[in-house]
């Protein structure tokens, strides 16, 4: 029995060493460790072993069983590790390639930021059409028929065979939205209106035939110039930081009286000295505009303002040329 077990162990180890893949290992396992394998057979014959030899034979049986099982486990690990992987080679720990994703255009971001700051001061966002009529672009805003601002040289009029009585144009200012809101709503009114405007200017570093403005209008009982100044000051500080300042320079617009140009003193970057930048116009709504839009100027007063959004974006992000904002060069857009 002892000899037989030693033989099984030798044969087993030799054959195991020659098993080079999972299939031959499995065959070996059935031959040696399986239910009908050689060790099981030897175990069955254990009964026939004379009594006095049983302890030695039993110990040997256990030892061979253990030795073959361990050898099998070790060999299996070796063969498994050496085996070429089947299926696709995938390393799930490898960092992926980040697909280039877009971002909001700088002008749209500034526009959103401006609306947000004014929303905190109680202004809602209003909207109006870019294809306008002369009434909303000029007449209701107290710009008389012979005013030079109406000149075809300074505006994009649109041929519209259906509207010969109501000539159309691409709006030249967002002040049109003031007229539209006042026509349809009763005060109190507090709106901002961001949007595109069009003027046939020759394109250069500071001019474009299309740009963006944000208009503001506040109408209520007892609104004064002090309210306008306070609102503009609060806006400047909220958007450009606590050191921002504003300056109003007397000016003229047909739809406001008095009227002013608005400058803001802003540090364009942290650490830069603040400097004055002209942002647009403002003033107290002219009573003639209220009357034209159906609001009683004896009861209501209001202020209005209009800023250039490109101006603000260029000042804030140090963009030297307005054309960069419209060329959609991704190398530029990725930086601002
Ligand atoms: N609409 C004027 C422009 O385009 C800007 C402006 C000035 C808007 C005064 C206003 C205002 O609301 O009160 O030049």
């Amino acid at each position: 029995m002892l000899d037989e077990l030693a033989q099984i162990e030798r044969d087993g180890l030799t054959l195991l060493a020659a098993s080079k893949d999972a299939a031959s290992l499995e065959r070996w396992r059935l031959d040696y460790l399986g239910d009908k394998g050689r060790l099981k057979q030897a175990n069955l014959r254990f009964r026939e072993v004379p009594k006095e030899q049983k302890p030695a034979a039993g110990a040997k049986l256990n030892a061979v069983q253990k030795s073959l099982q361990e050898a099998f486990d070790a060999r299996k690990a070796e063969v498994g590790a050496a085996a070429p992987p089947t299926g696709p080679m995938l390393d799930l720990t490898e960092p992926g390639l980040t697909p280039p994703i877009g971002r909001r255009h700088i002008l749209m971001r500034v526009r959103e930021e401006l609306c947000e700051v004014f929303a905190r001061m109680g202004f809602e966002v209003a909207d109006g059409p870019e294809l306008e009529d002369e009434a909303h672009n000029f007449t209701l805003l107290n710009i008389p028929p012979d005013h030079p601002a109406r000149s075809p040289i300074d505006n994009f009029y649109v041929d519209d065979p259906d509207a010969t009585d109501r000539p159309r144009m691409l709006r030249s200012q967002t002040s049109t939205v003031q007229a539209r809101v006042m026509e349809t709503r009763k005060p109190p009114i507090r709106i901002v209106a961001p949007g595109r405007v069009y003027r046939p200017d020759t394109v250069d570093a500071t001019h474009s035939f299309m740009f963006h403005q944000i208009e503001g209008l506040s109408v209520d009982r007892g609104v004064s110039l002090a309210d306008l100044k306070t609102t503009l000051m609060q806006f400047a500080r909220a958007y450009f930081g606590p050191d921002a300042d504003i300056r109003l320079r007397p000016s003229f617009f047909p739809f406001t009286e008095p009227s002013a140009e608005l400058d803001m003193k802003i540090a364009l970057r942290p650490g830069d000295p603040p400097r004055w930048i002209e942002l647009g116009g403002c003033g107290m709504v002219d009573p003639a505009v209220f009357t034209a839009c159906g609001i009683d100027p004896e009861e209501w007063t209001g202020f209005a303002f209009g800023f250039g959004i490109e101006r603000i974006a260029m000042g804030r992000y140090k963009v030297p040329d307005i054309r960069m904002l419209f060329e959609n060069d991704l190398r530029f857009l990725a930086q601002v």
Side-chain angles (χ1 to χ4, degrees):
M1 183 82 187
L2 291 181
D3 288 348
E4 189 193 338
L5 286 170
Q7 185 64 43
I8 292 176
E9 184 175 21
R10 269 196 306 277
D11 291 352
L13 291 176
T14 312
L15 276 173
L16 189 61
S19 301
K20 296 212 161 26
D21 54 38
S24 53
L25 270 181
E26 179 59 10
R27 240 177 288 122
W28 182 94
R29 189 186 69 78
L30 293 173
D31 285 350
Y32 283 86
L33 306 172
D35 280 349
K36 295 183 179 133
R38 288 182 70 180
L39 276 178
K40 262 279 159 34
Q41 304 293 330
N43 205 355
L44 290 178
R45 284 199 303 282
F46 190 68
R47 265 179 283 132
E48 299 152 20
V49 175
K51 199 168 178 230
E52 64 285 358
Q53 289 174 24
K54 273 195 168 153
K60 182 72 180 167
L61 190 65
N62 285 338
V64 172
Q65 163 100 33
K66 185 161 179 270
S67 141
L68 288 182
Q69 183 68 52
E70 281 172 6
F72 173 77
D73 290 344
R75 184 73 188 137
K76 193 172 171 189
E78 263 170 45
V79 169
T86 55
M89 302 266 269
L90 247 189
D91 180 356
L92 296 177
T93 64
E94 188 64 11
L97 295 176
T98 311
I101 49 170
R103 53 193 294 195
R104 309 250 316 137
H105 191 278
I106 171 180
L107 282 177
M108 295 303 105
R109 289 206 314 274
V110 170
R111 169 185 158 146
E112 224 162 64
E113 289 161 7
L114 296 174
C115 288
E116 214 230 82
V117 170
F118 281 110
R120 281 189 252 147
M121 296 196 270
F123 288 79
E124 336 159 31
V125 175
D127 200 7
E130 289 174 27
L131 181 60
E132 257 299 4
D133 49 34
E134 285 188 300
H136 293 92
N137 203 86
F138 298 126
T139 315
L140 293 167
L141 294 169
N142 198 32
I143 301 174
D146 54 353
H147 196 281
R150 295 195 185 223
S151 163
I153 291 175
D154 294 325
N155 294 283
F156 285 113
Y157 285 94
V158 174
D159 285 336
D160 184 350
D162 296 332
T164 42
D165 56 327
R166 217 157 58 105
R168 304 233 191 204
M169 58 185 300
L170 296 176
R171 68 180 176 193
S172 65
Q173 51 184 353
T174 46
S175 303
T176 53
V177 185
Q178 287 187 40
R180 288 190 170 270
V181 169
M182 285 193 279
E183 261 183 336
T184 51
R185 283 166 52 174
K186 294 269 154 284
I189 293 168
R190 259 167 112 77
I191 56 108
V192 284
R196 293 193 193 98
V197 300
Y198 302 83
R199 295 178 193 177
D201 285 334
T202 304
V203 175
D204 63 21
T206 53
H207 294 88
S208 171
F209 49 84
M210 184 281 292
F211 57 99
H212 296 75
Q213 291 184 325
I214 181 164
E215 194 80 11
L217 174 71
S218 174
V219 182
D220 208 335
R221 290 190 182 87
V223 173
S224 71
L225 194 63
D227 296 316
L228 170 61
K229 262 196 111 164
T230 307
T231 303
L232 294 175
M233 181 65 109
Q234 281 175 345
F235 162 72
R237 299 225 164 120
Y239 192 62
F240 293 104
D243 298 331
D245 201 357
I246 62 162
R247 176 168 82 178
L248 297 182
R249 282 179 288 113
S251 185
F252 174 79
F253 296 99
F255 31 92
T256 42
E257 182 57 38
S259 304
E261 296 293 343
L262 170 70
D263 297 339
M264 278 193 192
K265 193 175 195 180
I266 49 186
L268 296 176
R269 294 213 172 152
D272 278 8
R275 59 188 187 90
W276 291 107
I277 299 200
E278 189 186 316
L279 287 193
C282 61
M284 300 305 294
V285 179
D286 193 300
V289 174
F290 278 142
T291 306
C293 295
I295 289 178
D296 180 3
E298 298 300 326
E299 184 176 358
W300 306 99
T301 52
F303 65 73
F305 56 82
F307 309 150
I309 295 184
E310 282 77 4
R311 255 296 151 82
I312 296 176
M314 290 167 75
R316 186 129 190 226
Y317 295 95
K318 285 231 161 125
V319 178
D321 191 316
I322 196 172
R323 287 168 288 199
M324 297 170 109
L325 297 174
F326 301 124
E327 280 166 349
N328 283 336
D329 184 331
L330 290 177
R331 291 168 300 179
F332 163 74
L333 293 177
Q335 293 179 51
V336 288

